[in-house]
Amino acid sequence: MESNPTMKFFTRREMLRASAVLAGGTLAARFYPATLVRAASALPQEKSAADPVAAMRAQFGGAPIVPQKLTDSITLLSGPGGNVVVLNGADGKLMGDTFVQPAWPHLKDALDKIGNAPVKTAIDTHWHFDHSDNNASLRAAGATLVAHANTKKRMSETHTLAVLNLTFGPSPADALPQQTFAQTHKITMNGETVSLVHIPPAHTDSDIYLHFEKGNVLQTGDVFFNGFYPYIDSGTGGSVSGMIAGAAKLLAVADNNTKIVPGHGPLGNKADLMKYHDMLTTVREHLQKLKSSGKTVQEAVAAKPLADLDAAWGKGLFNSDTFIQIAYPAL
């Protein structure tokens, strides 16, 4: 694993808090942390130290799956690795994202409770493991895997996520998307039209959104974290400016009645997305001043440039000290 000089700021306590928030939607911050801390402490210490990816999978996998009906045919599942959207009907099920591997038995049960139709299509909003981890299981069950071309590319490579210092090897062949696209793709089933649209590099260079046009549901992937500072993967094309532009692209699709499903966090609306866009714009302004003046990331953290944002945004996935370490190289 590559060394990372910013890791000295990222404590085990913050890792556990990050796991808890990533693991769920509406109820995560209130109910999941103790469960996830127990799951982490139950792992053999040598296993956790030697394989932090396995430890994080186990932490995420301990979260319950909470269903929320969005329309007659669309259900939001929140839980082990963020949010999954399921379109159900006589033509079969379509899924946006797939949770983490340890959650597969519970995910299968949740899908069965929605309806008897099999999953015909599973879509990855981007390449990260918490959004694509059950690809192989769904393919084995008969689903076709769909994603942006860069998702297949990134999943075929080895990557280390900065600050989190997690290294992922190439995904097995049966977990890779079978159908890919470059800009847009449409799927019509169950009386719904689902538009898949690539977002220029934002959280990663593989991001797409899913727009369920009839139901007026917008699934954003990790271009939108509702209510807290996001993770930005600068190692695979992510940037602060890209996240701002991505949020603006999503805002152009949504109206005041759109149900907006973030990659992580509770179900949102256009006002929530606008607040997030404005927060990122302020972050870029504050951090760019420091970077342009030659400040190192350590000096930027010490300057507390995001202190005025912390009350609203710093109590979820990361506090501002850690978020600065993520955002500074992604300016």
Side-chain angles (χ1 to χ4, degrees), residues 70 74-77 81-87 94-99 122-126 130-131 194-197 199 207-213 216-224 250 253-254 258-264 267 273:
L70 302 184
I74 300 173
T75 301
L76 167 62
L77 300 176
N83 294 314
V84 166
V85 175
V86 181
L87 171 67
L94 176 147
M95 291 179 60
D97 288 336
T98 73
F99 289 147
I123 302 163
D124 301 326
T125 59
H126 60 292
D130 50 323
H131 297 261
V194 187
S195 291
L196 284 56
V197 179
I199 299 171
D207 304 311
I208 65 170
Y209 68 74
L210 280 62
H211 185 205
F212 298 80
E213 296 180 2
N216 199 13
V217 173
L218 181 62
Q219 184 176 9
T220 70
D222 282 0
V223 177
F224 177 35
L250 294 169
V253 177
T258 304
K259 296 179 176 71
I260 303 180
V261 177
H264 301 278
L267 181 69
L273 182 57

Side-chain angles (χ1 to χ4, degrees), residues 256-287:
N256 291 334
N257 296 313
T258 304
K259 296 179 176 71
I260 303 180
V261 177
H264 301 278
L267 181 69
N269 55 32
K270 191 168 186 176
D272 296 322
L273 182 57
M274 179 61 75
K275 290 176 186 176
Y276 174 80
H277 171 275
D278 292 347
M279 177 273 291
L280 288 175
T281 302
T282 301
V283 166
R284 180 176 62 183
E285 178 184 349
H286 289 358
L287 296 188

